[in-house]
Amino acid sequence: TSGATVATGQKLWVEYVSSVHTIGDSTALTLKSVDGGTTAQDKIVFHSFQSDVIAIGGNMQNPALVGDPQLGAFTIGLKLYQQGYDVHLYAYSAVNSSGQGAAFNEVKSAVQSRNVDNVAIFGYSWGGGATYKLAAALKAESSLVGMYQLKYSAYIDGITQGSISSERRLPTGTQYHDNIYQRKDLLIKGNSVTGAVNLNVTSTTWGKGLGHTTIDDHLNVQTIILTNLVAKLLVS
């Protein structure tokens, strides 16, 4: 309420009610603090999220441990969050065999209830397989037809969920797909995906020593995904 006093420790909740996306001073909330005759003033600018980013980890990777440098997909997600993106981190098990589950519910809710129309999904290892399944399930959901675009997707050494086979299918409906993989390991390794921008790091100078358990943690790999996702997806 304009001119109202906020007590120490009091919480304020702000609800976005506009039917269109806005950003800028027109949505600003000004707070003024008065303490012992001195006045401090600050401004908080609110805007709605137009995009939803889903980051999916590999086998035994727990999103609650975000910040661990050995959890590369979640490290990317954290960096995007710090840049202002609406990022949601999931274990691969949050996407079931039909592509539904917690990650599916998040995107569906964002599109139907929060006016989101730009989506990005990326995953490492089995998270790559989960990325494919999630994209397919979203595309098949009749209630979402025409309501969103999968602007960006990526696999980091993508492996089909529940197997050791490379995930070689292009995510359904994606407008741009990065497929970054290694061919150094004997058993678990990614491979090329038709229709994707493919990068076999084993053929590069900087990535020739990377294996399945280290490829997601390399700065060059993370930078490629960060740069390309930001180029394709609106932060607002």
Side-chain angles (χ1 to χ4, degrees):
T1 303
S2 178
T5 300
V6 180
T8 301
Q10 182 178 347
K11 294 182 179 180
L12 295 178
W13 299 91
V14 178
E15 183 177 5
Y16 195 88
V17 297
S18 175
S19 61
V20 296
H21 293 286
T22 59
I23 182 170
D25 287 346
S26 61
T27 56
L29 172 67
T30 301
L31 303 176
K32 183 182 294 184
S33 174
V34 179
D35 182 16
T38 61
T39 301
Q41 188 166 320
D42 200 357
K43 180 181 290 185
I44 304 172
V45 178
F46 295 92
H47 63 86
S48 61
F49 287 116
Q50 190 170 350
S51 61
D52 206 30
V53 179
I54 305 297
I56 309 175
N59 188 27
M60 300 181 69
Q61 292 193 335
N62 183 354
L65 300 178
V66 60
D68 183 333
Q70 293 184 325
L71 302 177
F74 300 148
T75 298
I76 296 170
L78 178 60
K79 290 179 179 179
L80 288 166
Y81 176 81
Q82 291 168 339
Q83 292 181 38
Y85 287 86
D86 188 20
V87 182
H88 303 266
L89 311 179
Y90 292 100
Y92 78 90
S93 56
V95 180
N96 64 28
S97 60
S98 65
Q100 300 199 15
F104 175 90
N105 294 339
E106 159 54 32
V107 177
K108 184 175 180 180
S109 173
V111 172
Q112 293 184 333
S113 303
R114 304 201 303 272
N115 205 23
V116 163
D117 55 17
N118 293 288
V119 176
I121 309 169
F122 62 89
Y124 159 67
S125 187
W126 276 354
T131 294
Y132 173 81
K133 289 184 176 180
L134 175 58
L138 290 169
K139 184 69 173 179
E141 175 58 41
S142 60
S143 66
L144 298 180
V145 172
M147 296 184 67
Y148 78 98
Q149 297 179 73
L150 182 55
K151 291 285 191 177
Y152 179 86
S153 60
Y155 299 155
I156 306 173
D157 223 31
I159 305 297
T160 303
Q161 260 184 298
S163 78
I164 61 171
S165 300
S166 307
E167 180 54 83
R168 305 194 67 179
R169 298 168 293 181
L170 187 71
T172 309
T174 188
Q175 296 184 2
Y176 183 96
H177 183 73
D178 274 321
N179 179 46
I180 306 173
Y181 63 98
Q182 56 81 32
R183 299 294 291 171
K184 176 177 177 290
D185 288 349
L186 292 177
L187 290 178
I188 303 178
K189 52 192 174 184
N191 210 332
S192 62
V193 172
T194 301
V197 178
N198 291 289
L199 174 60
N200 175 6
V201 301
T202 308
S203 66
T204 69
T205 301
W206 57 265
K208 62 184 179 181
L210 295 176
H212 183 71
T213 61
T214 56
I215 184 173
D216 61 316
D217 306 323
H218 197 281
L219 180 59
N220 286 6
V221 172
Q222 296 177 5
T223 299
I224 290 169
I225 292 178
L226 282 165
T227 301
N228 292 340
L229 186 150
V230 168
K232 300 295 181 182
L233 202 68
L234 296 171
V235 67
S236 63

